[in-house]
Amino acid sequence: MLRSTILHINPVRLPAATVPGASPARQSALSGILPDCLNTQLLASLSAKGYRTSRCAASPEKDGQVADAGGSSGSSASTSGSEQHAGKVTITHRGTQVLARAGSKLRTALLRGGVSPHNGQAQVINCRGLGTCGTCAVEIAQGHVQPPEWSAGERLRLNFLPHSFPNNQRLRLACQVSCESDLEVEKYDGFWGQGSTPRGPIQEGEIREQPLLGELEFVMDAKERMKSTGRD
């Protein structure tokens, strides 16, 4: 039984809940499960229940950092596409940059960074990475993903209405491709992203500190599940 938990609380984002004696993988799995902002009353309540709390001056660099395309700070530390990060890639999506692990699924990387590959209500109504709904369809304007060409699943879904020729020829399903380099991603209008007009820059209100359904957003991403359980 765990006797105590030390909560390291950042004014902007809660990076982790640290449990004495737990493995690094367990510590990682606990990251982000608590609300971003805890007020004084809640801190006092936690303390009374045996928790020890402290505030951090800054968070360590982590996947999903966000910065605008101009390089000014977003909801966490800013990054530049020209900066070199070992094992990391920078994804530019609708004018916003996201730092992610190389090899991660594009959909996962964007959602971890607080931005979405889905339009409007498709952020709620989608297949969570199964590859069947087609709402995470994006264009890879620059950079390299794996697989480099449509997978069998992409070929099936992107040739099914409302996706159709010729617009579908430029699209990939973000949940089915992995980030192999810095990327520039274009999202088009329409519920499924099947339109002809590129979406404009992401507005401040569109950036989320946590994915809409938390870890359930990544239920179909096997690599992400293994990472969260320490088996990666």
Side-chain angles (χ1 to χ4, degrees), residues 6-198:
I6 303 174
L7 303 180
H8 295 291
I9 302 165
N10 186 283
V12 176
R13 180 176 296 194
L14 183 62
T18 306
V19 180
S23 66
R26 178 58 177 162
Q27 307 286 16
S28 176
L30 289 170
S31 177
I33 63 173
L34 295 174
D36 294 327
C37 297
L38 296 175
N39 59 32
T40 303
Q41 183 178 1
L42 181 52
L43 287 174
S45 175
L46 289 169
S47 180
K49 292 181 180 180
Y51 292 92
R52 299 199 308 276
T53 62
S54 64
R55 291 188 179 274
C56 302
S59 299
E61 183 180 281
K62 61 183 290 185
D63 294 351
Q65 290 181 325
V66 177
D68 63 31
S72 59
S73 296
S75 60
S76 56
S78 64
T79 76
S80 168
S82 62
E83 290 179 348
Q84 297 300 314
H85 301 273
K88 304 286 186 178
V89 295
T90 299
I91 306 166
T92 303
H93 173 59
R94 294 178 56 200
T96 295
Q97 290 183 337
V98 172
L99 185 66
R101 290 186 307 150
S104 59
K105 292 292 187 185
L106 177 55
R107 177 183 182 273
T108 295
L110 292 174
L111 289 173
R112 288 286 188 206
V115 298
S116 177
H118 305 282
N119 287 339
Q121 292 303 310
Q123 295 180 58
V124 179
I125 308 170
N126 67 76
C127 67
R128 262 68 210 181
L130 185 60
T132 55
C133 72
T135 62
C136 68
V138 297
E139 179 185 10
I140 309 300
Q142 291 185 21
H144 304 284
V145 296
Q146 285 292 340
E149 305 293 337
W150 280 354
S151 64
E154 286 179 287
R155 185 175 298 107
L156 179 65
R157 186 60 193 86
L158 291 173
N159 277 308
F160 187 78
L161 294 174
H163 292 296
S164 61
F165 185 86
N167 286 358
N168 65 344
Q169 299 300 297
R170 65 190 173 200
L171 299 177
R172 302 299 303 271
L173 295 183
C175 67
Q176 300 299 302
V177 299
S178 299
C179 308
E180 298 301 313
S181 71
D182 290 351
L183 300 174
E184 184 173 330
V185 178
E186 194 80 75
K187 182 69 179 182
Y188 292 88
D189 62 332
F191 184 87
W192 286 266
Q194 78 277 17
S196 301
T197 304

